[in-house]
Amino acid sequence: MTTLTAETVTDWRSSAACKTADPDLFFPEPGTSPARIAEAKAYCAACPVKQMCLDEAFRTNERDAISGGLTPEEREQLLTPSMPLDPFQARRLDNASARTIAVQQGSDVLVWLVKRRMTVNEVAGRLGVTPRAVFRAWLMLVPVPVGQKRSTEASAVEKLLAQSKESMRTLVRMGRSHDEIATVLGTSQSIVSASLSVLRQREDALRRLSRKGPQDALVRLQAEETRVRREARSGLTVQDVIDMHGIQIRRMHSGGATLRSIAQELDLCRETVRKAYREMTPGRTVRTGGELTRDDMRSAA
């Protein structure tokens, strides 16, 4: 995929429909009338490089200008939905935050975790997000080693990068817009834009992590995955739980605690705790705490 340079950026901007328009039109102040914003978007609607403009706004985290036909607020909504009121939607919020991190600061996150050896909690604190969001961003940015499989469900961006990375690169080289690529690949334009931005963040991180080349940097990234997964907690496998908390889980369960209450106290996935306990004590009866209620499901989510 072609890397954006000063020359290529200047080249596509020279074809922009807004090059002769008043620049102030695309930097609305608070309280700007809808009619004036619509006037700016009218230029974008007929612009031949609209997708490149939008992609550049995502790449540079543009926070002031109307770019690619979207205001800063509209671009933010594409990546991070509003805070859900229902606790059952908390996981969706984390996933949206993860996409924002991967799109806008993915390269920095990988360098912080691998080169500076920061913990997941330290990175989460710096970004003002949850450790789970940092972990999900990590999964989008670091490809799975050949022949291996992750225990967590892949996001839409992860799936697209795993299945259609080269197809996206080819279509971009052919000059196809993100809308056209999305149609070909059977996904949405926002996922295509996010995936291409994540791909650039990944490639930038690989360059920053090792002078020996991307393959050496990739080995370093994948070597850190176990540490990142354990620190994030939400990505733990059954064996991770046994290694970290096996003795404690058996002791608490022997003392009368249900696996549900143990999972809540240790801040672990209840299903992973249940599987870990069954693996440690085959043939024994598991006290799960009765049937799940809707509140239990929301709390677990």
mmCIF file of all heavy atoms in Angstrom, residues 232-280:
data_model
loop_
_atom_site.group_PDB
_atom_site.id
_atom_site.type_symbol
_atom_site.label_atom_id
_atom_site.label_comp_id
_atom_site.label_asym_id
_atom_site.label_seq_id
_atom_site.Cartn_x
_atom_site.Cartn_y
_atom_site.Cartn_z
ATOM 1 N N ALA A 232 -4.930 -7.444 30.784
ATOM 2 C CA ALA A 232 -6.249 -6.923 30.426
ATOM 3 C C ALA A 232 -7.370 -7.707 31.090
ATOM 4 O O ALA A 232 -8.504 -7.248 31.153
ATOM 5 C CB ALA A 232 -6.434 -6.961 28.905
ATOM 6 N N ARG A 233 -7.082 -8.909 31.570
ATOM 7 C CA ARG A 233 -8.014 -9.772 32.295
ATOM 8 C C ARG A 233 -9.156 -10.268 31.413
ATOM 9 O O ARG A 233 -9.457 -11.442 31.387
ATOM 10 C CB ARG A 233 -8.561 -9.072 33.543
ATOM 11 C CG ARG A 233 -7.484 -8.547 34.479
ATOM 12 C CD ARG A 233 -8.070 -7.954 35.736
ATOM 13 N NE ARG A 233 -8.604 -8.972 36.620
ATOM 14 C CZ ARG A 233 -7.882 -9.675 37.475
ATOM 15 N NH1 ARG A 233 -6.578 -9.489 37.565
ATOM 16 N NH2 ARG A 233 -8.431 -10.576 38.264
ATOM 17 N N SER A 234 -9.795 -9.388 30.668
ATOM 18 C CA SER A 234 -10.937 -9.800 29.866
ATOM 19 C C SER A 234 -10.536 -10.749 28.746
ATOM 20 O O SER A 234 -11.393 -11.413 28.170
ATOM 21 C CB SER A 234 -11.628 -8.575 29.261
ATOM 22 O OG SER A 234 -10.737 -7.868 28.431
ATOM 23 N N GLY A 235 -9.246 -10.835 28.450
ATOM 24 C CA GLY A 235 -8.812 -11.720 27.385
ATOM 25 C C GLY A 235 -8.240 -13.034 27.866
ATOM 26 O O GLY A 235 -7.622 -13.766 27.108
ATOM 27 N N LEU A 236 -8.422 -13.351 29.148
ATOM 28 C CA LEU A 236 -7.815 -14.546 29.719
ATOM 29 C C LEU A 236 -8.430 -15.829 29.180
ATOM 30 O O LEU A 236 -9.646 -15.933 29.005
ATOM 31 C CB LEU A 236 -7.963 -14.530 31.242
ATOM 32 C CG LEU A 236 -7.205 -13.428 31.990
ATOM 33 C CD1 LEU A 236 -7.533 -13.477 33.468
ATOM 34 C CD2 LEU A 236 -5.707 -13.588 31.799
ATOM 35 N N THR A 237 -7.588 -16.825 28.960
ATOM 36 C CA THR A 237 -8.048 -18.152 28.587
ATOM 37 C C THR A 237 -8.295 -18.960 29.860
ATOM 38 O O THR A 237 -7.951 -18.528 30.966
ATOM 39 C CB THR A 237 -7.004 -18.877 27.734
ATOM 40 O OG1 THR A 237 -5.817 -19.071 28.527
ATOM 41 C CG2 THR A 237 -6.635 -18.058 26.501
ATOM 42 N N VAL A 238 -8.866 -20.156 29.694
ATOM 43 C CA VAL A 238 -9.113 -21.036 30.845
ATOM 44 C C VAL A 238 -7.796 -21.367 31.544
ATOM 45 O O VAL A 238 -7.704 -21.325 32.772
ATOM 46 C CB VAL A 238 -9.829 -22.324 30.383
ATOM 47 C CG1 VAL A 238 -9.892 -23.339 31.515
ATOM 48 C CG2 VAL A 238 -11.232 -21.996 29.889
ATOM 49 N N GLN A 239 -6.749 -21.663 30.763
ATOM 50 C CA GLN A 239 -5.460 -22.001 31.373
ATOM 51 C C GLN A 239 -4.860 -20.805 32.102
ATOM 52 O O GLN A 239 -4.224 -20.959 33.156
ATOM 53 C CB GLN A 239 -4.489 -22.502 30.299
ATOM 54 C CG GLN A 239 -3.201 -23.097 30.861
ATOM 55 C CD GLN A 239 -3.468 -24.249 31.818
ATOM 56 O OE1 GLN A 239 -4.217 -25.171 31.494
ATOM 57 N NE2 GLN A 239 -2.866 -24.205 33.006
ATOM 58 N N ASP A 240 -5.061 -19.602 31.557
ATOM 59 C CA ASP A 240 -4.584 -18.395 32.252
ATOM 60 C C ASP A 240 -5.227 -18.288 33.625
ATOM 61 O O ASP A 240 -4.556 -17.985 34.627
ATOM 62 C CB ASP A 240 -4.921 -17.130 31.446
ATOM 63 C CG ASP A 240 -4.127 -17.028 30.163
ATOM 64 O OD1 ASP A 240 -3.005 -17.576 30.111
ATOM 65 O OD2 ASP A 240 -4.629 -16.406 29.214
ATOM 66 N N VAL A 241 -6.542 -18.510 33.695
ATOM 67 C CA VAL A 241 -7.266 -18.404 34.961
ATOM 68 C C VAL A 241 -6.768 -19.459 35.948
ATOM 69 O O VAL A 241 -6.586 -19.182 37.135
ATOM 70 C CB VAL A 241 -8.790 -18.543 34.731
ATOM 71 C CG1 VAL A 241 -9.535 -18.659 36.053
ATOM 72 C CG2 VAL A 241 -9.311 -17.346 33.937
ATOM 73 N N ILE A 242 -6.534 -20.660 35.465
ATOM 74 C CA ILE A 242 -6.023 -21.718 36.345
ATOM 75 C C ILE A 242 -4.642 -21.343 36.885
ATOM 76 O O ILE A 242 -4.369 -21.472 38.081
ATOM 77 C CB ILE A 242 -5.955 -23.056 35.576
ATOM 78 C CG1 ILE A 242 -7.367 -23.541 35.256
ATOM 79 C CG2 ILE A 242 -5.198 -24.109 36.397
ATOM 80 C CD1 ILE A 242 -7.398 -24.778 34.366
ATOM 81 N N ASP A 243 -3.782 -20.851 36.001
ATOM 82 C CA ASP A 243 -2.424 -20.485 36.425
ATOM 83 C C ASP A 243 -2.426 -19.344 37.435
ATOM 84 O O ASP A 243 -1.652 -19.348 38.400
ATOM 85 C CB ASP A 243 -1.584 -20.085 35.207
ATOM 86 C CG ASP A 243 -1.306 -21.251 34.275
ATOM 87 O OD1 ASP A 243 -1.473 -22.404 34.721
ATOM 88 O OD2 ASP A 243 -0.944 -21.003 33.103
ATOM 89 N N MET A 244 -3.289 -18.357 37.224
ATOM 90 C CA MET A 244 -3.272 -17.151 38.049
ATOM 91 C C MET A 244 -4.100 -17.285 39.321
ATOM 92 O O MET A 244 -3.720 -16.765 40.375
ATOM 93 C CB MET A 244 -3.784 -15.953 37.227
ATOM 94 C CG MET A 244 -2.910 -15.590 36.046
ATOM 95 S SD MET A 244 -3.675 -14.348 34.976
ATOM 96 C CE MET A 244 -3.809 -12.960 36.079
ATOM 97 N N HIS A 245 -5.259 -17.968 39.236
ATOM 98 C CA HIS A 245 -6.201 -17.958 40.362
ATOM 99 C C HIS A 245 -6.706 -19.348 40.746
ATOM 100 O O HIS A 245 -7.668 -19.449 41.518
ATOM 101 C CB HIS A 245 -7.421 -17.079 40.013
ATOM 102 C CG HIS A 245 -7.080 -15.658 39.702
ATOM 103 N ND1 HIS A 245 -6.686 -14.748 40.666
ATOM 104 C CD2 HIS A 245 -7.067 -14.980 38.518
ATOM 105 C CE1 HIS A 245 -6.450 -13.580 40.087
ATOM 106 N NE2 HIS A 245 -6.678 -13.694 38.793
ATOM 107 N N GLY A 246 -6.109 -20.403 40.197
ATOM 108 C CA GLY A 246 -6.638 -21.742 40.420
ATOM 109 C C GLY A 246 -6.792 -22.112 41.885
ATOM 110 O O GLY A 246 -7.867 -22.546 42.331
ATOM 111 N N ILE A 247 -5.744 -21.919 42.677
ATOM 112 C CA ILE A 247 -5.786 -22.272 44.104
ATOM 113 C C ILE A 247 -6.829 -21.440 44.831
ATOM 114 O O ILE A 247 -7.613 -21.951 45.652
ATOM 115 C CB ILE A 247 -4.395 -22.082 44.743
ATOM 116 C CG1 ILE A 247 -3.392 -23.057 44.114
ATOM 117 C CG2 ILE A 247 -4.459 -22.285 46.258
ATOM 118 C CD1 ILE A 247 -1.969 -22.868 44.582
ATOM 119 N N GLN A 248 -6.885 -20.157 44.514
ATOM 120 C CA GLN A 248 -7.839 -19.259 45.171
ATOM 121 C C GLN A 248 -9.280 -19.641 44.826
ATOM 122 O O GLN A 248 -10.159 -19.638 45.701
ATOM 123 C CB GLN A 248 -7.551 -17.817 44.749
ATOM 124 C CG GLN A 248 -8.349 -16.769 45.504
ATOM 125 C CD GLN A 248 -7.961 -15.357 45.091
ATOM 126 O OE1 GLN A 248 -7.170 -15.166 44.164
ATOM 127 N NE2 GLN A 248 -8.510 -14.371 45.781
ATOM 128 N N ILE A 249 -9.548 -19.986 43.580
ATOM 129 C CA ILE A 249 -10.902 -20.377 43.176
ATOM 130 C C ILE A 249 -11.337 -21.645 43.906
ATOM 131 O O ILE A 249 -12.463 -21.727 44.421
ATOM 132 C CB ILE A 249 -10.961 -20.582 41.641
ATOM 133 C CG1 ILE A 249 -10.833 -19.238 40.924
ATOM 134 C CG2 ILE A 249 -12.270 -21.270 41.232
ATOM 135 C CD1 ILE A 249 -10.666 -19.357 39.416
ATOM 136 N N ARG A 250 -10.464 -22.631 44.001
ATOM 137 C CA ARG A 250 -10.812 -23.879 44.692
ATOM 138 C C ARG A 250 -11.063 -23.624 46.177
ATOM 139 O O ARG A 250 -12.005 -24.172 46.758
ATOM 140 C CB ARG A 250 -9.682 -24.894 44.508
ATOM 141 C CG ARG A 250 -9.537 -25.363 43.073
ATOM 142 C CD ARG A 250 -8.455 -26.407 42.921
ATOM 143 N NE ARG A 250 -8.793 -27.649 43.612
ATOM 144 C CZ ARG A 250 -8.097 -28.761 43.499
ATOM 145 N NH1 ARG A 250 -7.010 -28.789 42.717
ATOM 146 N NH2 ARG A 250 -8.455 -29.860 44.139
ATOM 147 N N ARG A 251 -10.254 -22.780 46.777
ATOM 148 C CA ARG A 251 -10.426 -22.490 48.198
ATOM 149 C C ARG A 251 -11.731 -21.748 48.453
ATOM 150 O O ARG A 251 -12.481 -22.077 49.393
ATOM 151 C CB ARG A 251 -9.242 -21.670 48.712
ATOM 152 C CG ARG A 251 -9.292 -21.425 50.227
ATOM 153 C CD ARG A 251 -8.038 -20.749 50.754
ATOM 154 N NE ARG A 251 -7.851 -19.429 50.161
ATOM 155 C CZ ARG A 251 -6.870 -19.114 49.344
ATOM 156 N NH1 ARG A 251 -5.969 -20.028 48.992
ATOM 157 N NH2 ARG A 251 -6.765 -17.891 48.849
ATOM 158 N N MET A 252 -12.035 -20.741 47.627
ATOM 159 C CA MET A 252 -13.265 -19.977 47.805
ATOM 160 C C MET A 252 -14.486 -20.844 47.561
ATOM 161 O O MET A 252 -15.483 -20.750 48.286
ATOM 162 C CB MET A 252 -13.261 -18.765 46.860
ATOM 163 C CG MET A 252 -12.194 -17.728 47.183
ATOM 164 S SD MET A 252 -12.069 -16.432 45.913
ATOM 165 C CE MET A 252 -13.616 -15.562 46.174
ATOM 166 N N HIS A 253 -14.430 -21.716 46.557
ATOM 167 C CA HIS A 253 -15.565 -22.588 46.269
ATOM 168 C C HIS A 253 -15.765 -23.605 47.386
ATOM 169 O O HIS A 253 -16.910 -23.908 47.759
ATOM 170 C CB HIS A 253 -15.350 -23.301 44.934
ATOM 171 C CG HIS A 253 -16.582 -23.942 44.387
ATOM 172 N ND1 HIS A 253 -16.859 -25.278 44.530
ATOM 173 C CD2 HIS A 253 -17.629 -23.419 43.682
ATOM 174 C CE1 HIS A 253 -18.015 -25.561 43.954
ATOM 175 N NE2 HIS A 253 -18.499 -24.456 43.421
ATOM 176 N N SER A 254 -14.670 -24.114 47.945
ATOM 177 C CA SER A 254 -14.776 -25.048 49.080
ATOM 178 C C SER A 254 -15.371 -24.368 50.296
ATOM 179 O O SER A 254 -16.014 -25.010 51.130
ATOM 180 C CB SER A 254 -13.397 -25.614 49.425
ATOM 181 O OG SER A 254 -12.866 -26.345 48.337
ATOM 182 N N GLY A 255 -15.200 -23.061 50.406
ATOM 183 C CA GLY A 255 -15.741 -22.299 51.529
ATOM 184 C C GLY A 255 -17.198 -21.925 51.366
ATOM 185 O O GLY A 255 -17.763 -21.233 52.236
ATOM 186 N N GLY A 256 -17.817 -22.329 50.248
ATOM 187 C CA GLY A 256 -19.247 -22.085 50.068
ATOM 188 C C GLY A 256 -19.596 -21.035 49.035
ATOM 189 O O GLY A 256 -20.766 -20.817 48.745
ATOM 190 N N ALA A 257 -18.606 -20.355 48.461
ATOM 191 C CA ALA A 257 -18.883 -19.315 47.464
ATOM 192 C C ALA A 257 -19.265 -19.953 46.132
ATOM 193 O O ALA A 257 -18.714 -20.989 45.752
ATOM 194 C CB ALA A 257 -17.671 -18.418 47.282
ATOM 195 N N THR A 258 -20.215 -19.353 45.437
ATOM 196 C CA THR A 258 -20.576 -19.833 44.111
ATOM 197 C C THR A 258 -19.562 -19.328 43.093
ATOM 198 O O THR A 258 -18.857 -18.338 43.333
ATOM 199 C CB THR A 258 -21.971 -19.342 43.699
ATOM 200 O OG1 THR A 258 -21.945 -17.914 43.572
ATOM 201 C CG2 THR A 258 -23.016 -19.744 44.731
ATOM 202 N N LEU A 259 -19.484 -19.999 41.959
ATOM 203 C CA LEU A 259 -18.546 -19.565 40.923
ATOM 204 C C LEU A 259 -18.908 -18.187 40.386
ATOM 205 O O LEU A 259 -18.050 -17.413 39.986
ATOM 206 C CB LEU A 259 -18.524 -20.596 39.786
ATOM 207 C CG LEU A 259 -17.946 -21.968 40.159
ATOM 208 C CD1 LEU A 259 -17.891 -22.858 38.930
ATOM 209 C CD2 LEU A 259 -16.572 -21.848 40.789
ATOM 210 N N ARG A 260 -20.211 -17.874 40.407
ATOM 211 C CA ARG A 260 -20.644 -16.554 39.951
ATOM 212 C C ARG A 260 -20.087 -15.467 40.859
ATOM 213 O O ARG A 260 -19.548 -14.451 40.398
ATOM 214 C CB ARG A 260 -22.163 -16.480 39.903
ATOM 215 C CG ARG A 260 -22.698 -15.189 39.269
ATOM 216 C CD ARG A 260 -24.211 -15.177 39.303
ATOM 217 N NE ARG A 260 -24.739 -16.381 38.685
ATOM 218 C CZ ARG A 260 -25.919 -16.889 38.959
ATOM 219 N NH1 ARG A 260 -26.693 -16.313 39.856
ATOM 220 N NH2 ARG A 260 -26.339 -17.982 38.363
ATOM 221 N N SER A 261 -20.197 -15.681 42.180
ATOM 222 C CA SER A 261 -19.683 -14.679 43.122
ATOM 223 C C SER A 261 -18.159 -14.624 43.082
ATOM 224 O O SER A 261 -17.568 -13.555 43.237
ATOM 225 C CB SER A 261 -20.160 -14.994 44.547
ATOM 226 O OG SER A 261 -19.645 -16.249 44.993
ATOM 227 N N ILE A 262 -17.510 -15.781 42.854
ATOM 228 C CA ILE A 262 -16.050 -15.798 42.744
ATOM 229 C C ILE A 262 -15.610 -14.984 41.525
ATOM 230 O O ILE A 262 -14.675 -14.188 41.589
ATOM 231 C CB ILE A 262 -15.540 -17.253 42.630
ATOM 232 C CG1 ILE A 262 -15.789 -18.010 43.932
ATOM 233 C CG2 ILE A 262 -14.045 -17.274 42.301
ATOM 234 C CD1 ILE A 262 -15.493 -19.495 43.852
ATOM 235 N N ALA A 263 -16.313 -15.181 40.396
ATOM 236 C CA ALA A 263 -15.979 -14.446 39.174
ATOM 237 C C ALA A 263 -16.139 -12.944 39.382
ATOM 238 O O ALA A 263 -15.301 -12.149 38.948
ATOM 239 C CB ALA A 263 -16.859 -14.919 38.027
ATOM 240 N N GLN A 264 -17.210 -12.544 40.076
ATOM 241 C CA GLN A 264 -17.427 -11.123 40.330
ATOM 242 C C GLN A 264 -16.341 -10.562 41.237
ATOM 243 O O GLN A 264 -15.833 -9.446 41.020
ATOM 244 C CB GLN A 264 -18.803 -10.914 40.953
ATOM 245 C CG GLN A 264 -19.957 -11.153 39.980
ATOM 246 C CD GLN A 264 -21.314 -11.025 40.639
ATOM 247 O OE1 GLN A 264 -21.428 -11.075 41.859
ATOM 248 N NE2 GLN A 264 -22.356 -10.879 39.827
ATOM 249 N N GLU A 265 -15.954 -11.316 42.279
ATOM 250 C CA GLU A 265 -14.943 -10.825 43.221
ATOM 251 C C GLU A 265 -13.575 -10.699 42.564
ATOM 252 O O GLU A 265 -12.827 -9.766 42.846
ATOM 253 C CB GLU A 265 -14.850 -11.754 44.428
ATOM 254 C CG GLU A 265 -13.864 -11.268 45.486
ATOM 255 C CD GLU A 265 -13.987 -12.047 46.787
ATOM 256 O OE1 GLU A 265 -15.055 -12.638 47.045
ATOM 257 O OE2 GLU A 265 -12.999 -12.049 47.547
ATOM 258 N N LEU A 266 -13.242 -11.654 41.685
ATOM 259 C CA LEU A 266 -11.942 -11.636 41.023
ATOM 260 C C LEU A 266 -11.952 -10.843 39.722
ATOM 261 O O LEU A 266 -10.910 -10.737 39.057
ATOM 262 C CB LEU A 266 -11.489 -13.070 40.739
ATOM 263 C CG LEU A 266 -11.277 -13.981 41.955
ATOM 264 C CD1 LEU A 266 -10.859 -15.366 41.508
ATOM 265 C CD2 LEU A 266 -10.237 -13.386 42.911
ATOM 266 N N ASP A 267 -13.125 -10.295 39.360
ATOM 267 C CA ASP A 267 -13.271 -9.524 38.132
ATOM 268 C C ASP A 267 -12.901 -10.361 36.913
ATOM 269 O O ASP A 267 -12.118 -9.951 36.051
ATOM 270 C CB ASP A 267 -12.399 -8.263 38.184
ATOM 271 C CG ASP A 267 -12.722 -7.287 37.061
ATOM 272 O OD1 ASP A 267 -13.854 -7.332 36.543
ATOM 273 O OD2 ASP A 267 -11.840 -6.495 36.694
ATOM 274 N N LEU A 268 -13.459 -11.562 36.840
ATOM 275 C CA LEU A 268 -13.200 -12.484 35.747
ATOM 276 C C LEU A 268 -14.507 -12.865 35.064
ATOM 277 O O LEU A 268 -15.586 -12.667 35.624
ATOM 278 C CB LEU A 268 -12.508 -13.758 36.262
ATOM 279 C CG LEU A 268 -11.143 -13.589 36.917
ATOM 280 C CD1 LEU A 268 -10.701 -14.891 37.559
ATOM 281 C CD2 LEU A 268 -10.113 -13.114 35.903
ATOM 282 N N CYS A 269 -14.407 -13.421 33.866
ATOM 283 C CA CYS A 269 -15.584 -13.925 33.144
ATOM 284 C C CYS A 269 -16.123 -15.159 33.857
ATOM 285 O O CYS A 269 -15.369 -16.106 34.123
ATOM 286 C CB CYS A 269 -15.189 -14.255 31.707
ATOM 287 S SG CYS A 269 -16.454 -15.125 30.779
ATOM 288 N N ARG A 270 -17.427 -15.173 34.163
ATOM 289 C CA ARG A 270 -18.009 -16.283 34.920
ATOM 290 C C ARG A 270 -17.858 -17.598 34.176
ATOM 291 O O ARG A 270 -17.548 -18.635 34.774
ATOM 292 C CB ARG A 270 -19.492 -16.008 35.208
ATOM 293 C CG ARG A 270 -20.129 -17.047 36.133
ATOM 294 C CD ARG A 270 -21.614 -16.781 36.292
ATOM 295 N NE ARG A 270 -22.330 -17.031 35.060
ATOM 296 C CZ ARG A 270 -22.782 -18.229 34.674
ATOM 297 N NH1 ARG A 270 -22.571 -19.291 35.430
ATOM 298 N NH2 ARG A 270 -23.435 -18.374 33.543
ATOM 299 N N GLU A 271 -18.073 -17.583 32.856
ATOM 300 C CA GLU A 271 -17.989 -18.816 32.081
ATOM 301 C C GLU A 271 -16.562 -19.358 32.085
ATOM 302 O O GLU A 271 -16.351 -20.573 32.167
ATOM 303 C CB GLU A 271 -18.454 -18.550 30.640
ATOM 304 C CG GLU A 271 -18.510 -19.786 29.745
ATOM 305 C CD GLU A 271 -19.517 -20.823 30.220
ATOM 306 O OE1 GLU A 271 -20.387 -20.481 31.046
ATOM 307 O OE2 GLU A 271 -19.420 -21.967 29.763
ATOM 308 N N THR A 272 -15.567 -18.473 32.020
ATOM 309 C CA THR A 272 -14.174 -18.923 32.051
ATOM 310 C C THR A 272 -13.835 -19.513 33.407
ATOM 311 O O THR A 272 -13.126 -20.524 33.503
ATOM 312 C CB THR A 272 -13.227 -17.754 31.726
ATOM 313 O OG1 THR A 272 -13.625 -17.141 30.502
ATOM 314 C CG2 THR A 272 -11.789 -18.234 31.591
ATOM 315 N N VAL A 273 -14.353 -18.901 34.489
ATOM 316 C CA VAL A 273 -14.131 -19.443 35.830
ATOM 317 C C VAL A 273 -14.771 -20.825 35.957
ATOM 318 O O VAL A 273 -14.182 -21.747 36.535
ATOM 319 C CB VAL A 273 -14.691 -18.478 36.895
ATOM 320 C CG1 VAL A 273 -14.691 -19.137 38.276
ATOM 321 C CG2 VAL A 273 -13.870 -17.194 36.929
ATOM 322 N N ARG A 274 -15.993 -20.972 35.428
ATOM 323 C CA ARG A 274 -16.685 -22.267 35.503
ATOM 324 C C ARG A 274 -15.890 -23.352 34.778
ATOM 325 O O ARG A 274 -15.692 -24.457 35.306
ATOM 326 C CB ARG A 274 -18.084 -22.141 34.889
ATOM 327 C CG ARG A 274 -18.912 -23.427 34.980
ATOM 328 C CD ARG A 274 -20.227 -23.278 34.228
ATOM 329 N NE ARG A 274 -20.016 -23.122 32.801
ATOM 330 C CZ ARG A 274 -19.766 -24.133 31.958
ATOM 331 N NH1 ARG A 274 -19.692 -25.379 32.433
ATOM 332 N NH2 ARG A 274 -19.600 -23.918 30.681
ATOM 333 N N LYS A 275 -15.402 -23.033 33.564
ATOM 334 C CA LYS A 275 -14.629 -24.010 32.806
ATOM 335 C C LYS A 275 -13.311 -24.336 33.504
ATOM 336 O O LYS A 275 -12.868 -25.499 33.510
ATOM 337 C CB LYS A 275 -14.363 -23.481 31.395
ATOM 338 C CG LYS A 275 -15.608 -23.412 30.522
ATOM 339 C CD LYS A 275 -15.281 -22.846 29.150
ATOM 340 C CE LYS A 275 -16.528 -22.791 28.266
ATOM 341 N NZ LYS A 275 -16.225 -22.210 26.926
ATOM 342 N N ALA A 276 -12.693 -23.318 34.093
ATOM 343 C CA ALA A 276 -11.434 -23.543 34.804
ATOM 344 C C ALA A 276 -11.652 -24.464 36.002
ATOM 345 O O ALA A 276 -10.854 -25.380 36.252
ATOM 346 C CB ALA A 276 -10.837 -22.208 35.248
ATOM 347 N N TYR A 277 -12.755 -24.235 36.740
ATOM 348 C CA TYR A 277 -13.021 -25.070 37.915
ATOM 349 C C TYR A 277 -13.305 -26.518 37.500
ATOM 350 O O TYR A 277 -12.818 -27.464 38.137
ATOM 351 C CB TYR A 277 -14.196 -24.510 38.708
ATOM 352 C CG TYR A 277 -14.444 -25.275 39.991
ATOM 353 C CD1 TYR A 277 -13.697 -25.012 41.133
ATOM 354 C CD2 TYR A 277 -15.395 -26.287 40.040
ATOM 355 C CE1 TYR A 277 -13.898 -25.735 42.310
ATOM 356 C CE2 TYR A 277 -15.609 -27.017 41.198
ATOM 357 C CZ TYR A 277 -14.862 -26.727 42.335
ATOM 358 O OH TYR A 277 -15.055 -27.458 43.484
ATOM 359 N N ARG A 278 -14.068 -26.688 36.448
ATOM 360 C CA ARG A 278 -14.370 -28.049 35.987
ATOM 361 C C ARG A 278 -13.102 -28.770 35.522
ATOM 362 O O ARG A 278 -12.958 -29.983 35.713
ATOM 363 C CB ARG A 278 -15.394 -28.003 34.860
ATOM 364 C CG ARG A 278 -16.806 -27.724 35.355
ATOM 365 C CD ARG A 278 -17.824 -27.907 34.261
ATOM 366 N NE ARG A 278 -19.182 -27.820 34.799
ATOM 367 C CZ ARG A 278 -20.278 -27.886 34.057
ATOM 368 N NH1 ARG A 278 -20.177 -28.032 32.744
ATOM 369 N NH2 ARG A 278 -21.468 -27.807 34.600
ATOM 370 N N GLU A 279 -12.193 -28.016 34.910
ATOM 371 C CA GLU A 279 -10.949 -28.634 34.460
ATOM 372 C C GLU A 279 -10.065 -29.020 35.644
ATOM 373 O O GLU A 279 -9.362 -30.030 35.596
ATOM 374 C CB GLU A 279 -10.200 -27.684 33.527
ATOM 375 C CG GLU A 279 -9.012 -28.320 32.831
ATOM 376 C CD GLU A 279 -8.509 -27.483 31.671
ATOM 377 O OE1 GLU A 279 -9.346 -26.930 30.922
ATOM 378 O OE2 GLU A 279 -7.282 -27.374 31.531
ATOM 379 N N MET A 280 -10.121 -28.211 36.708
ATOM 380 C CA MET A 280 -9.306 -28.509 37.897
ATOM 381 C C MET A 280 -9.896 -29.632 38.731
ATOM 382 O O MET A 280 -9.175 -30.361 39.405
ATOM 383 C CB MET A 280 -9.170 -27.244 38.770
ATOM 384 C CG MET A 280 -8.322 -26.149 38.165
ATOM 385 S SD MET A 280 -8.057 -24.775 39.326
ATOM 386 C CE MET A 280 -9.726 -24.117 39.460
#
